[in-house]
Amino acid sequence: MKYPKELIDEVEKRSEGMKLEGLNKGAGPIHPALMIVGEAPGRNEIQTQVPFNGDSGKELMKSLASIGLRREDVYITSAVRSRPYSIKKVFSKKENKEVIKYPNRKPTKKEILAHAPFFDYEIKKVQPKLIVAVGNTALERLLGPGYKISEEHGKVISNTPILQLNQNKDGYEWSNEKYTIFPQYHPAAVFYNRKLAEDIARDWQVIGPYLKEKNYE
């Protein structure tokens, strides 16, 4: 999606001083079968400019294929559109000295709020009725801190408003528009806990009936 220059300028100003790298825009059709919301792009996404690229993207594509969808059928975005990074000093055996690394990390609440204009803009443009929130960051951005993937995964949260920037742009308020939310584990979760693979596969099948209802099958 092409973001207006004034929107990019606004988010850059809101993000000043934060350890964020680059800009990876959301991608996909308007009025898609689903909108998928993740946490933030990693280094690979910033380099390729493709959301959910790499290993986690491959896992996501498997899940989409299991319900008859392709990347081209869905809109993919995230709560933060730049890469959050940390600065760490580590000893490199290869170089035999201490080096500085800039690994990916989870975005902070301030960074998520700073990037809220991007997400709100995409919601208004894409107008999704069905939203898949992968991971806690995405779910909390949509519904607030009272929701956790470990408790909500595989459920359907229907006819619900979502959080959007308030008029002062310093916090959130509930939207007038209502949506159906599908909380799911992040695709990368299987890399840390292979036991979640069955849960993830089963949870994605919950979406099938809703796709049929919306004639997206």
Side-chain angles (χ1 to χ4, degrees):
M1 173 172 287
K2 185 175 181 180
Y3 302 144
K5 183 180 183 303
E6 58 269 24
L7 181 64
I8 295 174
D9 291 344
E10 177 187 358
V11 174
E12 285 181 348
K13 186 174 182 180
R14 291 170 63 88
S15 304
E16 285 180 356
M18 298 177 180
K19 292 182 177 64
L20 297 172
E21 176 193 16
L23 176 61
N24 177 231
K25 299 174 183 177
I30 303 300
H31 307 304
L34 294 171
M35 173 182 264
I36 297 172
V37 183
E39 180 176 272
R43 182 180 286 106
N44 198 50
E45 283 77 14
I46 293 299
Q47 291 174 347
T48 63
Q49 288 297 294
V50 178
F52 266 103
N53 199 13
D55 291 339
S56 63
K58 290 177 183 177
E59 291 297 322
L60 179 60
M61 294 310 111
K62 289 179 186 177
S63 296
L64 288 176
S66 74
I67 56 173
L69 295 178
R70 303 164 302 163
R71 179 183 284 270
E72 293 79 12
D73 299 317
V74 302
Y75 188 91
I76 303 177
T77 188
S78 57
V80 172
R81 294 306 321 151
S82 297
R83 180 179 83 94
Y85 66 89
S86 56
I87 303 174
K88 293 185 177 181
K89 291 183 178 180
V90 298
F91 184 80
S92 171
K93 292 183 179 179
K94 183 178 180 180
E95 300 180 49
N96 195 33
K97 65 178 182 178
E98 193 175 65
V99 297
I100 298 177
K101 298 280 188 178
Y102 302 90
N104 299 335
R105 61 169 172 79
K106 181 178 179 179
T108 67
K109 290 182 179 179
K110 287 184 178 180
E111 289 165 345
I112 294 168
L113 183 62
H115 276 239
F118 278 153
F119 187 72
D120 288 355
Y121 177 83
E122 289 176 301
I123 287 285
K124 290 177 182 177
K125 286 290 184 180
V126 176
Q127 296 183 348
K129 292 297 181 182
L130 308 178
I131 302 176
V132 179
V134 292
N136 281 321
T137 297
L139 186 59
E140 290 181 13
R141 171 61 179 87
L142 289 163
L143 299 177
Y147 289 83
K148 300 296 180 186
I149 290 294
S150 59
E151 299 172 1
E152 307 295 336
H153 72 94
K155 296 180 181 179
V156 180
I157 303 172
S158 59
N159 199 36
T160 179
I162 61 174
L163 293 176
Q164 61 184 20
L165 270 182
N166 60 24
Q167 291 186 349
N168 293 331
K169 296 190 175 184
D170 59 0
Y172 302 104
E173 63 185 14
W174 294 106
S175 66
N176 293 321
E177 186 75 19
K178 295 184 179 180
Y179 305 85
T180 296
I181 310 296
F182 301 96
Q184 307 281 22
Y185 281 110
H186 193 282
V190 295
F191 303 143
Y192 309 104
N193 185 354
R194 280 292 171 184
K195 294 180 180 179
L196 292 177
E198 290 185 9
D199 285 339
I200 292 173
R202 183 170 55 249
D203 291 348
W204 273 91
Q205 297 309 308
V206 174
I207 299 174
Y210 287 84
L211 292 175
K212 291 180 180 179
E213 182 182 332
K214 297 293 181 180
N215 296 318
Y216 282 131
E217 62 173 350

